[in-house]
Structures are given as structure tokens and as C-alpha cells.
Amino acid sequence: MMNISVTVNTCELTDLDLKQMSQLGIDYIDFGKGSSFPGVKEQGYPDLDQLLKLRRRVRSFGLEMNRVTLPDLTERYMNNLPGSEKELENSATAIKVFGEAGLPIVRQRFAGDTVPVLTSGYKAVQRGGAIARGESLGLMKNKPEIPGLGERERWWSRFTEAFRTLVPVAEDYDVKLTVHPSDTPNHGTPFGGLGFHRIIDAFPSKNVGFVYCIGTRAEEGGSSLVMDEINHYGRKGKIYLVHLRNVRGSLPTAGAFEEALLDDGDLNVFNILLELRKVGYKGCINPDHITQLEGDSVDLDQSWAHSGISWKSSSIGWGYSIGYVRALLAALAEFEGIRYGH
């Protein structure tokens, strides 16, 4: 059966954080920022002893660590500048450390996977005055040029060079190596539908797959694209973690999209969970990009203004989203006649 995880961008979790997570019925924690782990700023990769200490503390609250994030591969690496070899070496070492700590899923971030920026963000006001992230193709007057084929292929060559190093390490340490789709899914971004195909064609390893972000993919093609991709990548066993959010509109259909509460967008979330169940997915459902409710306090990121990116104990929206997913999972279990819950 599927479980629930939430993303944090810090390792400095308080007892309040962990108690509230446990009370809400969260099962796992995903760590979204590679630089947050002790040791990364000092030596370039996590310290194993501190990592094990963190895992023991998380487990003492009845929770577990799920997805972690490797040190970033920055513009330095993507442009093959001095020091790029060290960045790749640090990522490879981080996989070894996470593997030794028994952590199952790592994500690698690549500079340039979300450019060019062709949309303008805006504050979307929704039901009852709730605030959500919106982006529109029509609001940006001076749009940058889309990278040409040569520039795209240069980016891809650096990506493949990194994965040629990282994939064997992930296999040796039995760690699942993932990427997240480009967010925003503008034209020219590498981790879209065709990019995902290209990755698993080039690296057909059982340890290579995706953090499948339903909201991001719906922004590119709506509900039908999401259902098709879940069916395709799910049957191949390439979905290792699911980010769940609802959206209104998409870039191809409306020239814009708005994130929405889980019950208030274009997607039928129960049908999505049912499709994940059909393809045998047994990983975590991670509700993300939380809508701001009245009186809420959320963890905002300037790259995704008006959207709560990371867990915050004072966020009403997190409580709503987790409860909604738990209810759907319980309904799915009842529908199938199986047991769900702690």
C-alpha cells in the first residue's frame, strides 16, 4: 500500500515538527536540499555518523527517512569549469554515504533544468480567498530565446557524463537514483516527457527512475498526460516517489496554470491514486506546493512564490493536504478490501 511523505529543506527538525508529523499520520520524510545535511558545507558530502544520528531521531517518533538529495551539480559542472570534477565526485561520495545509511532514494539536481523562463508568475486567488501559485505565458513581454539544438545537446552531454559516473555507484550501494521533472515545464527544458524517455533509454538500470511530479506534468499536458505517463513509467517500475498537487489549466490548453487545493483543480486525485495502484506503485505520496489558507504561515521559496514548498508545523494547508490524502488512501483500501492505517 502507498504511504505519505512530506518534504523538509532542513535537518534541524524540532520535536514539534516530528510530533505533529506523527500525529497527522505521516509515514516518511523527504529531504529536499542536499546542502542541509551535516558535513556537506564542510567537506562536500554528508557525514555518515551525523546522518545515522538524524535517522535514529526520526525513527524515535515512528517516522522514517525516504528520499534524500545529493549535493547540487551547479553551473560550474554544467559548463565544465574548473572544480566541476570535484562536484561530481562529491555527489558520488554522497550516494555511498546515503547507501551505507540504508536510505533508499536519492535525487540529483542539475543547474539549467528549469530554463529558459518563458512564463510570468502571479498570485492566484481561489476559493474563499486562498492564495496559490499561478504562471502565464502571456504575461511576459520580453521572452528569452529557447536554446537551440546545439546548446541542448551540450547540456545533455554533461548530464550523461554525470550519470555515467553516478549510476554504477547507485547500483553498487542499492540506491535508487532519480531526477524530478523540469518545473516550470517550459519549452526547451530537458526533463519533460521526451526527456524522461531519453534518460531511461540511455540508462536502462533498475536503479534509475523518477520523482514523478503530478502537478508539474499536469502543467505541461493536463490529466490525460498524467494518466498516460503513470501507466507508462509505472509499468516500467520507474516511479520511485510521487509528488501530488492539483492544478487548473495547463500551458498548452490555457497558456497558463494555477496550483489548487487537492479537491479544487482539474485533476481527479482519486483516479490518479487508483492508476498508481494499478501499475503496482507502493512508494510514498508527497503532497507538495501547498496552497496558503487564511491565517496560514507557509515556507515560501522565491522560485515558486505563493506556494508552500517545505513542511512547516504552523501551516494549515499541510494539515489539510495530508488529511485529504490519508482519506483517499483509506477509501482506496476499502475499495480493494485491504487494510490501511497504523
Side-chain angles (χ1 to χ4, degrees), residues 221-256:
S223 178
S224 60
L225 176 65
V226 169
M227 299 296 274
D228 285 347
E229 289 188 339
I230 288 174
N231 184 269
H232 180 80
Y233 296 118
R235 285 187 292 106
K236 291 178 179 290
K238 294 299 183 180
I239 300 177
Y240 297 148
L241 172 63
V242 170
H243 283 178
L244 178 65
R245 63 179 182 263
N246 212 331
V247 299
R248 299 172 173 180
S250 70
L251 295 179
T253 59

PDB file of all heavy atoms in Angstrom, residues 221-256:
ATOM      1  N   GLY A 221       0.527  19.113 -19.685  1.00  0.00           N
ATOM      2  CA  GLY A 221      -0.414  18.457 -20.585  1.00  0.00           C
ATOM      3  C   GLY A 221      -1.726  18.011 -19.985  1.00  0.00           C
ATOM      4  O   GLY A 221      -2.478  17.282 -20.626  1.00  0.00           O
ATOM      5  N   GLY A 222      -2.019  18.397 -18.760  1.00  0.00           N
ATOM      6  CA  GLY A 222      -3.304  18.066 -18.185  1.00  0.00           C
ATOM      7  C   GLY A 222      -3.428  16.640 -17.695  1.00  0.00           C
ATOM      8  O   GLY A 222      -2.466  15.869 -17.652  1.00  0.00           O
ATOM      9  N   SER A 223      -4.658  16.269 -17.345  1.00  0.00           N
ATOM     10  CA  SER A 223      -4.937  14.983 -16.722  1.00  0.00           C
ATOM     11  C   SER A 223      -4.579  13.805 -17.627  1.00  0.00           C
ATOM     12  O   SER A 223      -4.053  12.791 -17.159  1.00  0.00           O
ATOM     13  CB  SER A 223      -6.416  14.916 -16.338  1.00  0.00           C
ATOM     14  OG  SER A 223      -6.735  13.668 -15.763  1.00  0.00           O
ATOM     15  N   SER A 224      -4.863  13.919 -18.916  1.00  0.00           N
ATOM     16  CA  SER A 224      -4.618  12.784 -19.817  1.00  0.00           C
ATOM     17  C   SER A 224      -3.137  12.453 -19.899  1.00  0.00           C
ATOM     18  O   SER A 224      -2.754  11.273 -19.933  1.00  0.00           O
ATOM     19  CB  SER A 224      -5.177  13.079 -21.211  1.00  0.00           C
ATOM     20  OG  SER A 224      -4.574  14.234 -21.770  1.00  0.00           O
ATOM     21  N   LEU A 225      -2.280  13.485 -19.921  1.00  0.00           N
ATOM     22  CA  LEU A 225      -0.834  13.237 -19.946  1.00  0.00           C
ATOM     23  C   LEU A 225      -0.388  12.544 -18.663  1.00  0.00           C
ATOM     24  O   LEU A 225       0.394  11.587 -18.698  1.00  0.00           O
ATOM     25  CB  LEU A 225      -0.081  14.546 -20.130  1.00  0.00           C
ATOM     26  CG  LEU A 225       1.452  14.439 -20.072  1.00  0.00           C
ATOM     27  CD1 LEU A 225       1.977  13.611 -21.233  1.00  0.00           C
ATOM     28  CD2 LEU A 225       2.100  15.819 -20.055  1.00  0.00           C
ATOM     29  N   VAL A 226      -0.896  13.015 -17.526  1.00  0.00           N
ATOM     30  CA  VAL A 226      -0.530  12.403 -16.243  1.00  0.00           C
ATOM     31  C   VAL A 226      -0.904  10.926 -16.219  1.00  0.00           C
ATOM     32  O   VAL A 226      -0.092  10.065 -15.842  1.00  0.00           O
ATOM     33  CB  VAL A 226      -1.204  13.157 -15.080  1.00  0.00           C
ATOM     34  CG1 VAL A 226      -1.057  12.384 -13.772  1.00  0.00           C
ATOM     35  CG2 VAL A 226      -0.608  14.551 -14.934  1.00  0.00           C
ATOM     36  N   MET A 227      -2.116  10.596 -16.628  1.00  0.00           N
ATOM     37  CA  MET A 227      -2.565   9.206 -16.599  1.00  0.00           C
ATOM     38  C   MET A 227      -1.751   8.340 -17.554  1.00  0.00           C
ATOM     39  O   MET A 227      -1.381   7.205 -17.226  1.00  0.00           O
ATOM     40  CB  MET A 227      -4.051   9.129 -16.938  1.00  0.00           C
ATOM     41  CG  MET A 227      -4.954   9.874 -15.972  1.00  0.00           C
ATOM     42  SD  MET A 227      -4.921   9.201 -14.286  1.00  0.00           S
ATOM     43  CE  MET A 227      -6.152   7.912 -14.452  1.00  0.00           C
ATOM     44  N   ASP A 228      -1.445   8.868 -18.731  1.00  0.00           N
ATOM     45  CA  ASP A 228      -0.636   8.111 -19.690  1.00  0.00           C
ATOM     46  C   ASP A 228       0.763   7.861 -19.154  1.00  0.00           C
ATOM     47  O   ASP A 228       1.314   6.759 -19.287  1.00  0.00           O
ATOM     48  CB  ASP A 228      -0.538   8.866 -21.021  1.00  0.00           C
ATOM     49  CG  ASP A 228      -1.814   8.793 -21.838  1.00  0.00           C
ATOM     50  OD1 ASP A 228      -2.682   7.962 -21.504  1.00  0.00           O
ATOM     51  OD2 ASP A 228      -1.946   9.579 -22.797  1.00  0.00           O
ATOM     52  N   GLU A 229       1.366   8.888 -18.533  1.00  0.00           N
ATOM     53  CA  GLU A 229       2.739   8.730 -18.041  1.00  0.00           C
ATOM     54  C   GLU A 229       2.792   7.810 -16.830  1.00  0.00           C
ATOM     55  O   GLU A 229       3.745   7.021 -16.691  1.00  0.00           O
ATOM     56  CB  GLU A 229       3.335  10.098 -17.714  1.00  0.00           C
ATOM     57  CG  GLU A 229       3.638  10.910 -18.971  1.00  0.00           C
ATOM     58  CD  GLU A 229       4.409  12.178 -18.669  1.00  0.00           C
ATOM     59  OE1 GLU A 229       4.388  12.660 -17.506  1.00  0.00           O
ATOM     60  OE2 GLU A 229       5.036  12.714 -19.606  1.00  0.00           O
ATOM     61  N   ILE A 230       1.820   7.881 -15.941  1.00  0.00           N
ATOM     62  CA  ILE A 230       1.790   6.941 -14.827  1.00  0.00           C
ATOM     63  C   ILE A 230       1.707   5.520 -15.349  1.00  0.00           C
ATOM     64  O   ILE A 230       2.414   4.619 -14.882  1.00  0.00           O
ATOM     65  CB  ILE A 230       0.598   7.249 -13.892  1.00  0.00           C
ATOM     66  CG1 ILE A 230       0.857   8.535 -13.109  1.00  0.00           C
ATOM     67  CG2 ILE A 230       0.357   6.082 -12.924  1.00  0.00           C
ATOM     68  CD1 ILE A 230      -0.328   8.983 -12.270  1.00  0.00           C
ATOM     69  N   ASN A 231       0.843   5.320 -16.322  1.00  0.00           N
ATOM     70  CA  ASN A 231       0.713   3.981 -16.894  1.00  0.00           C
ATOM     71  C   ASN A 231       2.019   3.530 -17.532  1.00  0.00           C
ATOM     72  O   ASN A 231       2.463   2.387 -17.329  1.00  0.00           O
ATOM     73  CB  ASN A 231      -0.420   3.972 -17.927  1.00  0.00           C
ATOM     74  CG  ASN A 231      -0.682   2.588 -18.484  1.00  0.00           C
ATOM     75  OD1 ASN A 231      -0.109   2.197 -19.498  1.00  0.00           O
ATOM     76  ND2 ASN A 231      -1.540   1.837 -17.815  1.00  0.00           N
ATOM     77  N   HIS A 232       2.665   4.418 -18.288  1.00  0.00           N
ATOM     78  CA  HIS A 232       3.891   4.046 -18.998  1.00  0.00           C
ATOM     79  C   HIS A 232       5.062   3.816 -18.047  1.00  0.00           C
ATOM     80  O   HIS A 232       5.667   2.733 -18.026  1.00  0.00           O
ATOM     81  CB  HIS A 232       4.254   5.130 -20.014  1.00  0.00           C
ATOM     82  CG  HIS A 232       5.500   4.829 -20.793  1.00  0.00           C
ATOM     83  ND1 HIS A 232       5.505   3.966 -21.866  1.00  0.00           N
ATOM     84  CD2 HIS A 232       6.781   5.256 -20.638  1.00  0.00           C
ATOM     85  CE1 HIS A 232       6.736   3.877 -22.346  1.00  0.00           C
ATOM     86  NE2 HIS A 232       7.522   4.649 -21.616  1.00  0.00           N
ATOM     87  N   TYR A 233       5.393   4.842 -17.245  1.00  0.00           N
ATOM     88  CA  TYR A 233       6.560   4.730 -16.370  1.00  0.00           C
ATOM     89  C   TYR A 233       6.282   3.809 -15.184  1.00  0.00           C
ATOM     90  O   TYR A 233       7.203   3.152 -14.672  1.00  0.00           O
ATOM     91  CB  TYR A 233       6.997   6.110 -15.892  1.00  0.00           C
ATOM     92  CG  TYR A 233       7.468   7.004 -17.020  1.00  0.00           C
ATOM     93  CD1 TYR A 233       6.807   8.195 -17.308  1.00  0.00           C
ATOM     94  CD2 TYR A 233       8.560   6.646 -17.805  1.00  0.00           C
ATOM     95  CE1 TYR A 233       7.222   9.011 -18.349  1.00  0.00           C
ATOM     96  CE2 TYR A 233       8.978   7.456 -18.850  1.00  0.00           C
ATOM     97  CZ  TYR A 233       8.313   8.628 -19.116  1.00  0.00           C
ATOM     98  OH  TYR A 233       8.721   9.430 -20.156  1.00  0.00           O
ATOM     99  N   GLY A 234       5.028   3.768 -14.745  1.00  0.00           N
ATOM    100  CA  GLY A 234       4.694   2.861 -13.657  1.00  0.00           C
ATOM    101  C   GLY A 234       4.857   1.406 -14.046  1.00  0.00           C
ATOM    102  O   GLY A 234       5.368   0.595 -13.269  1.00  0.00           O
ATOM    103  N   ARG A 235       4.396   1.043 -15.247  1.00  0.00           N
ATOM    104  CA  ARG A 235       4.564  -0.342 -15.715  1.00  0.00           C
ATOM    105  C   ARG A 235       6.033  -0.717 -15.843  1.00  0.00           C
ATOM    106  O   ARG A 235       6.403  -1.879 -15.672  1.00  0.00           O
ATOM    107  CB  ARG A 235       3.861  -0.532 -17.061  1.00  0.00           C
ATOM    108  CG  ARG A 235       2.349  -0.624 -16.970  1.00  0.00           C
ATOM    109  CD  ARG A 235       1.725  -0.991 -18.310  1.00  0.00           C
ATOM    110  NE  ARG A 235       1.857   0.073 -19.294  1.00  0.00           N
ATOM    111  CZ  ARG A 235       2.701   0.063 -20.327  1.00  0.00           C
ATOM    112  NH1 ARG A 235       3.509  -0.975 -20.514  1.00  0.00           N
ATOM    113  NH2 ARG A 235       2.752   1.069 -21.184  1.00  0.00           N
ATOM    114  N   LYS A 236       6.875   0.256 -16.137  1.00  0.00           N
ATOM    115  CA  LYS A 236       8.317   0.018 -16.241  1.00  0.00           C
ATOM    116  C   LYS A 236       9.009   0.018 -14.882  1.00  0.00           C
ATOM    117  O   LYS A 236      10.208  -0.254 -14.788  1.00  0.00           O
ATOM    118  CB  LYS A 236       8.956   1.085 -17.137  1.00  0.00           C
ATOM    119  CG  LYS A 236       8.581   0.997 -18.611  1.00  0.00           C
ATOM    120  CD  LYS A 236       9.238   2.121 -19.400  1.00  0.00           C
ATOM    121  CE  LYS A 236       8.902   2.033 -20.882  1.00  0.00           C
ATOM    122  NZ  LYS A 236       9.562   0.881 -21.527  1.00  0.00           N
ATOM    123  N   GLY A 237       8.259   0.340 -13.815  1.00  0.00           N
ATOM    124  CA  GLY A 237       8.858   0.380 -12.477  1.00  0.00           C
ATOM    125  C   GLY A 237       9.803   1.541 -12.279  1.00  0.00           C
ATOM    126  O   GLY A 237      10.759   1.448 -11.507  1.00  0.00           O
ATOM    127  N   LYS A 238       9.523   2.676 -12.946  1.00  0.00           N
ATOM    128  CA  LYS A 238      10.438   3.808 -12.911  1.00  0.00           C
ATOM    129  C   LYS A 238       9.951   4.954 -12.021  1.00  0.00           C
ATOM    130  O   LYS A 238      10.605   5.991 -11.954  1.00  0.00           O
ATOM    131  CB  LYS A 238      10.675   4.328 -14.337  1.00  0.00           C
ATOM    132  CG  LYS A 238      11.413   3.337 -15.241  1.00  0.00           C
ATOM    133  CD  LYS A 238      12.794   3.033 -14.683  1.00  0.00           C
ATOM    134  CE  LYS A 238      13.590   2.101 -15.578  1.00  0.00           C
ATOM    135  NZ  LYS A 238      14.930   1.818 -15.000  1.00  0.00           N
ATOM    136  N   ILE A 239       8.823   4.798 -11.368  1.00  0.00           N
ATOM    137  CA  ILE A 239       8.330   5.829 -10.458  1.00  0.00           C
ATOM    138  C   ILE A 239       8.708   5.431  -9.037  1.00  0.00           C
ATOM    139  O   ILE A 239       8.205   4.449  -8.499  1.00  0.00           O
ATOM    140  CB  ILE A 239       6.805   6.007 -10.593  1.00  0.00           C
ATOM    141  CG1 ILE A 239       6.436   6.429 -12.017  1.00  0.00           C
ATOM    142  CG2 ILE A 239       6.304   7.039  -9.588  1.00  0.00           C
ATOM    143  CD1 ILE A 239       4.941   6.546 -12.259  1.00  0.00           C
ATOM    144  N   TYR A 240       9.589   6.220  -8.424  1.00  0.00           N
ATOM    145  CA  TYR A 240      10.097   5.892  -7.087  1.00  0.00           C
ATOM    146  C   TYR A 240       9.484   6.767  -5.996  1.00  0.00           C
ATOM    147  O   TYR A 240       9.550   6.427  -4.816  1.00  0.00           O
ATOM    148  CB  TYR A 240      11.615   6.031  -7.051  1.00  0.00           C
ATOM    149  CG  TYR A 240      12.336   5.079  -7.986  1.00  0.00           C
ATOM    150  CD1 TYR A 240      13.535   5.450  -8.591  1.00  0.00           C
ATOM    151  CD2 TYR A 240      11.828   3.813  -8.274  1.00  0.00           C
ATOM    152  CE1 TYR A 240      14.209   4.580  -9.436  1.00  0.00           C
ATOM    153  CE2 TYR A 240      12.498   2.942  -9.117  1.00  0.00           C
ATOM    154  CZ  TYR A 240      13.687   3.328  -9.702  1.00  0.00           C
ATOM    155  OH  TYR A 240      14.356   2.475 -10.550  1.00  0.00           O
ATOM    156  N   LEU A 241       8.937   7.911  -6.379  1.00  0.00           N
ATOM    157  CA  LEU A 241       8.296   8.820  -5.433  1.00  0.00           C
ATOM    158  C   LEU A 241       7.314   9.659  -6.232  1.00  0.00           C
ATOM    159  O   LEU A 241       7.603  10.031  -7.369  1.00  0.00           O
ATOM    160  CB  LEU A 241       9.332   9.718  -4.743  1.00  0.00           C
ATOM    161  CG  LEU A 241       8.804  10.856  -3.857  1.00  0.00           C
ATOM    162  CD1 LEU A 241       8.025  10.316  -2.667  1.00  0.00           C
ATOM    163  CD2 LEU A 241       9.964  11.743  -3.373  1.00  0.00           C
ATOM    164  N   VAL A 242       6.159   9.976  -5.640  1.00  0.00           N
ATOM    165  CA  VAL A 242       5.142  10.772  -6.316  1.00  0.00           C
ATOM    166  C   VAL A 242       4.907  12.066  -5.547  1.00  0.00           C
ATOM    167  O   VAL A 242       4.590  12.043  -4.353  1.00  0.00           O
ATOM    168  CB  VAL A 242       3.814   9.992  -6.447  1.00  0.00           C
ATOM    169  CG1 VAL A 242       2.704  10.915  -6.933  1.00  0.00           C
ATOM    170  CG2 VAL A 242       3.976   8.818  -7.394  1.00  0.00           C
ATOM    171  N   HIS A 243       5.081  13.193  -6.236  1.00  0.00           N
ATOM    172  CA  HIS A 243       4.672  14.492  -5.718  1.00  0.00           C
ATOM    173  C   HIS A 243       3.251  14.758  -6.194  1.00  0.00           C
ATOM    174  O   HIS A 243       2.968  14.665  -7.389  1.00  0.00           O
ATOM    175  CB  HIS A 243       5.606  15.596  -6.226  1.00  0.00           C
ATOM    176  CG  HIS A 243       6.919  15.641  -5.514  1.00  0.00           C
ATOM    177  ND1 HIS A 243       7.918  16.530  -5.852  1.00  0.00           N
ATOM    178  CD2 HIS A 243       7.396  14.916  -4.466  1.00  0.00           C
ATOM    179  CE1 HIS A 243       8.954  16.348  -5.050  1.00  0.00           C
ATOM    180  NE2 HIS A 243       8.655  15.371  -4.204  1.00  0.00           N
ATOM    181  N   LEU A 244       2.377  15.105  -5.266  1.00  0.00           N
ATOM    182  CA  LEU A 244       0.963  15.241  -5.590  1.00  0.00           C
ATOM    183  C   LEU A 244       0.477  16.655  -5.327  1.00  0.00           C
ATOM    184  O   LEU A 244       0.552  17.152  -4.204  1.00  0.00           O
ATOM    185  CB  LEU A 244       0.135  14.256  -4.754  1.00  0.00           C
ATOM    186  CG  LEU A 244      -1.379  14.309  -4.957  1.00  0.00           C
ATOM    187  CD1 LEU A 244      -1.757  13.893  -6.372  1.00  0.00           C
ATOM    188  CD2 LEU A 244      -2.087  13.412  -3.938  1.00  0.00           C
ATOM    189  N   ARG A 245      -0.011  17.298  -6.368  1.00  0.00           N
ATOM    190  CA  ARG A 245      -0.763  18.540  -6.220  1.00  0.00           C
ATOM    191  C   ARG A 245      -1.767  18.616  -7.363  1.00  0.00           C
ATOM    192  O   ARG A 245      -1.621  17.947  -8.380  1.00  0.00           O
ATOM    193  CB  ARG A 245       0.145  19.767  -6.208  1.00  0.00           C
ATOM    194  CG  ARG A 245       0.935  20.031  -7.473  1.00  0.00           C
ATOM    195  CD  ARG A 245       1.768  21.303  -7.284  1.00  0.00           C
ATOM    196  NE  ARG A 245       2.545  21.690  -8.454  1.00  0.00           N
ATOM    197  CZ  ARG A 245       3.827  21.387  -8.633  1.00  0.00           C
ATOM    198  NH1 ARG A 245       4.471  20.676  -7.722  1.00  0.00           N
ATOM    199  NH2 ARG A 245       4.476  21.803  -9.711  1.00  0.00           N
ATOM    200  N   ASN A 246      -2.788  19.422  -7.179  1.00  0.00           N
ATOM    201  CA  ASN A 246      -3.793  19.622  -8.213  1.00  0.00           C
ATOM    202  C   ASN A 246      -3.533  20.963  -8.891  1.00  0.00           C
ATOM    203  O   ASN A 246      -2.948  21.870  -8.285  1.00  0.00           O
ATOM    204  CB  ASN A 246      -5.200  19.588  -7.617  1.00  0.00           C
ATOM    205  CG  ASN A 246      -6.222  19.018  -8.583  1.00  0.00           C
ATOM    206  OD1 ASN A 246      -6.070  19.128  -9.796  1.00  0.00           O
ATOM    207  ND2 ASN A 246      -7.271  18.411  -8.055  1.00  0.00           N
ATOM    208  N   VAL A 247      -3.939  21.081 -10.140  1.00  0.00           N
ATOM    209  CA  VAL A 247      -3.750  22.324 -10.883  1.00  0.00           C
ATOM    210  C   VAL A 247      -4.995  22.626 -11.701  1.00  0.00           C
ATOM    211  O   VAL A 247      -5.813  21.744 -11.981  1.00  0.00           O
ATOM    212  CB  VAL A 247      -2.526  22.269 -11.823  1.00  0.00           C
ATOM    213  CG1 VAL A 247      -1.242  22.053 -11.045  1.00  0.00           C
ATOM    214  CG2 VAL A 247      -2.695  21.184 -12.875  1.00  0.00           C
ATOM    215  N   ARG A 248      -5.113  23.895 -12.088  1.00  0.00           N
ATOM    216  CA  ARG A 248      -6.146  24.338 -13.020  1.00  0.00           C
ATOM    217  C   ARG A 248      -5.449  24.790 -14.295  1.00  0.00           C
ATOM    218  O   ARG A 248      -4.484  25.549 -14.251  1.00  0.00           O
ATOM    219  CB  ARG A 248      -6.932  25.517 -12.439  1.00  0.00           C
ATOM    220  CG  ARG A 248      -7.658  25.212 -11.144  1.00  0.00           C
ATOM    221  CD  ARG A 248      -8.241  26.491 -10.560  1.00  0.00           C
ATOM    222  NE  ARG A 248      -9.082  26.238  -9.395  1.00  0.00           N
ATOM    223  CZ  ARG A 248      -9.707  27.193  -8.709  1.00  0.00           C
ATOM    224  NH1 ARG A 248      -9.576  28.460  -9.078  1.00  0.00           N
ATOM    225  NH2 ARG A 248     -10.450  26.884  -7.670  1.00  0.00           N
ATOM    226  N   GLY A 249      -5.940  24.335 -15.436  1.00  0.00           N
ATOM    227  CA  GLY A 249      -5.355  24.736 -16.703  1.00  0.00           C
ATOM    228  C   GLY A 249      -4.016  24.068 -16.949  1.00  0.00           C
ATOM    229  O   GLY A 249      -3.492  23.314 -16.123  1.00  0.00           O
ATOM    230  N   SER A 250      -3.449  24.347 -18.120  1.00  0.00           N
ATOM    231  CA  SER A 250      -2.111  23.873 -18.467  1.00  0.00           C
ATOM    232  C   SER A 250      -1.529  24.830 -19.491  1.00  0.00           C
ATOM    233  O   SER A 250      -2.255  25.625 -20.115  1.00  0.00           O
ATOM    234  CB  SER A 250      -2.153  22.446 -19.023  1.00  0.00           C
ATOM    235  OG  SER A 250      -2.761  22.425 -20.310  1.00  0.00           O
ATOM    236  N   LEU A 251      -0.232  24.779 -19.690  1.00  0.00           N
ATOM    237  CA  LEU A 251       0.405  25.695 -20.633  1.00  0.00           C
ATOM    238  C   LEU A 251      -0.095  25.503 -22.065  1.00  0.00           C
ATOM    239  O   LEU A 251      -0.365  26.485 -22.759  1.00  0.00           O
ATOM    240  CB  LEU A 251       1.923  25.545 -20.549  1.00  0.00           C
ATOM    241  CG  LEU A 251       2.554  25.961 -19.211  1.00  0.00           C
ATOM    242  CD1 LEU A 251       4.052  25.737 -19.228  1.00  0.00           C
ATOM    243  CD2 LEU A 251       2.227  27.419 -18.883  1.00  0.00           C
ATOM    244  N   PRO A 252      -0.276  24.252 -22.558  1.00  0.00           N
ATOM    245  CA  PRO A 252      -0.770  24.105 -23.933  1.00  0.00           C
ATOM    246  C   PRO A 252      -2.233  24.496 -24.105  1.00  0.00           C
ATOM    247  O   PRO A 252      -2.616  25.005 -25.156  1.00  0.00           O
ATOM    248  CB  PRO A 252      -0.574  22.610 -24.227  1.00  0.00           C
ATOM    249  CG  PRO A 252       0.380  22.119 -23.206  1.00  0.00           C
ATOM    250  CD  PRO A 252       0.142  22.956 -21.999  1.00  0.00           C
ATOM    251  N   THR A 253      -3.065  24.254 -23.105  1.00  0.00           N
ATOM    252  CA  THR A 253      -4.508  24.463 -23.283  1.00  0.00           C
ATOM    253  C   THR A 253      -4.962  25.864 -22.922  1.00  0.00           C
ATOM    254  O   THR A 253      -5.838  26.429 -23.578  1.00  0.00           O
ATOM    255  CB  THR A 253      -5.305  23.452 -22.440  1.00  0.00           C
ATOM    256  OG1 THR A 253      -4.954  23.621 -21.049  1.00  0.00           O
ATOM    257  CG2 THR A 253      -5.016  22.029 -22.881  1.00  0.00           C
ATOM    258  N   ALA A 254      -4.399  26.428 -21.869  1.00  0.00           N
ATOM    259  CA  ALA A 254      -4.852  27.738 -21.380  1.00  0.00           C
ATOM    260  C   ALA A 254      -3.769  28.804 -21.468  1.00  0.00           C
ATOM    261  O   ALA A 254      -4.041  29.974 -21.185  1.00  0.00           O
ATOM    262  CB  ALA A 254      -5.336  27.609 -19.934  1.00  0.00           C
ATOM    263  N   GLY A 255      -2.549  28.401 -21.832  1.00  0.00           N
ATOM    264  CA  GLY A 255      -1.439  29.341 -21.820  1.00  0.00           C
ATOM    265  C   GLY A 255      -1.034  29.744 -20.426  1.00  0.00           C
ATOM    266  O   GLY A 255      -0.251  30.676 -20.219  1.00  0.00           O
ATOM    267  N   ALA A 256      -1.558  29.041 -19.438  1.00  0.00           N
ATOM    268  CA  ALA A 256      -1.303  29.359 -18.040  1.00  0.00           C
ATOM    269  C   ALA A 256      -1.754  28.185 -17.184  1.00  0.00           C
ATOM    270  O   ALA A 256      -2.457  27.283 -17.647  1.00  0.00           O
ATOM    271  CB  ALA A 256      -2.039  30.626 -17.615  1.00  0.00           C
TER     272      ALA A 256
END
